Amino acid sequence: MTTPEHQPSDPEPSGPATPAESVEPAGSAGPTGSSPSSEGSKGTEGPGATQAPADRVHRSTPGIAGGVLLIGVTGWMCVDAMISGEGRAPWLALAVLLFIVPLVVAYTLLPAVRAGEDRLRVRNPFRTVELPWGRVASLRSGYSSEVVTDDGTTYQLWALPVSLRARKRAARQEMRAAGERAHGVDVRAAGRAPGGGDAFRRGGAPASRAGGAERPERAPTDRAMDELRELHEKRRGERSAQGEVTVRWAYEIMAPTLAGAILLAVLLAVG
């Protein structure tokens, strides 16, 4: 996209100007009458133009790490069995590979939650759901993260697993920080930056400040759900955030899994 600062202010004419061209007013009709309007439309694409913010994507980092590890171990064992195995071993290894790897990919690598300005895109192991913000009734996080539509349908957010351990750790950190502030021994309030030992004892970096006040400690999943709720409250009334809920099944995951299961069952039944 060409911005105004990259355009020359006084472009040189390609040839000598005729008298008619030199006295022709800027707004006159003719072949060049559309030039001012086209330049004005290009000007709206300059630095002052508003751009839509990027979508927020939430994924489970531990799940991705575990999935990569499982795929590596399973692939190594199955490929080794297919190369050096004898009898039915290569076929059994192939069946296990077709059955296990798609399931691992579906439950660890694929889940993601993409929050845009107009809709929420939930990618679960076997289906992808797109929900306009106008159709979302609530976002709740109890023992699992869920989104509820206005007709009562519930979709689980696999990419945002709830960790009770993380919640307890965040609650302990918040209680400790509240006690320090109450007794006036908060190292941050005293003007001394916390060292590495303080950050380690507090479970990571200090809580961020918003307008001079510290935000309460929250588990990562709860913070992500808070962001989704804020975006939902902000955008659910917009006209562009209305529409129908769409569901697309992940046949690219289901097909090889089913093929591997059938092959494995046939081999076990024959043998």
Side-chain angles (χ1 to χ4, degrees):
M1 179 176 62
T2 304
T3 52
E5 60 269 19
H6 295 156
Q7 298 176 353
S9 56
D10 295 321
E12 297 180 0
S14 56
T18 60
E21 291 177 349
S22 61
V23 299
E24 184 180 3
S28 61
T32 60
S34 59
S35 298
S37 60
S38 62
E39 291 176 0
S41 61
K42 291 181 181 179
T44 57
E45 299 179 0
T50 58
Q51 297 181 355
D55 295 348
R56 307 174 188 177
V57 181
H58 301 279
R59 305 184 71 178
S60 175
T61 303
I64 294 175
V68 171
L69 180 62
L70 285 176
I71 291 175
V73 173
T74 304
W76 173 67
M77 295 177 63
C78 291
V79 171
D80 181 70
M82 286 188 292
I83 294 175
S84 60
E86 298 179 356
R88 294 188 308 155
W91 291 102
L92 286 173
L94 177 61
V96 171
L97 191 66
L98 288 175
F99 180 70
I100 295 296
V101 171
L103 291 179
V104 173
V105 172
Y107 283 96
T108 60
L109 303 184
L110 281 187
V113 174
R114 181 182 295 272
E117 288 294 299
D118 297 330
R119 61 192 64 249
L120 178 69
R121 188 171 185 263
V122 181
R123 190 170 65 188
N124 284 339
F126 295 107
R127 62 181 177 180
T128 299
V129 185
E130 290 193 5
L131 305 102
W133 288 118
R135 296 294 306 274
V136 175
S138 64
L139 290 140
R140 59 194 185 191
S141 179
Y143 292 103
S144 63
S145 302
E146 299 172 339
V147 55
V148 184
T149 62
D150 52 2
D151 60 358
T153 307
T154 301
Y155 299 100
Q156 190 172 355
L157 306 180
W158 283 81
L160 295 175
V162 173
S163 173
L164 299 180
R165 182 179 180 181
R167 284 181 175 175
K168 292 179 180 179
R169 181 169 61 250
R172 289 196 301 267
Q173 292 175 356
E174 177 61 22
M175 292 177 61
R176 183 182 305 172
E180 290 178 352
R181 290 192 297 268
H183 291 82
V185 295
D186 191 354
V187 295
R188 288 168 290 174
R192 181 172 65 87
D198 298 322
F200 178 78
R201 288 192 297 269
R202 300 178 69 83
S208 58
R209 293 174 178 265
E214 295 178 2
R215 297 180 180 178
E217 295 285 348
R218 299 278 284 169
T221 299
D222 294 332
R223 289 200 301 268
M225 292 297 291
D226 291 341
E227 293 178 2
L228 294 179
R229 293 188 186 100
E230 292 177 1
L231 188 57
H232 171 236
E233 291 295 329
K234 177 182 177 182
R235 299 292 302 175
R236 65 179 180 178
E238 299 294 331
R239 180 178 300 178
S240 59
Q242 310 303 318
E244 296 296 329
V245 178
T246 59
V247 179
R248 186 185 70 85
W249 292 94
Y251 295 106
E252 66 276 8
I253 296 294
M254 298 164 57
T257 302
L258 182 61
I262 293 175
L263 179 58
L264 185 61
V266 170
L267 291 174
L268 293 178
V270 171

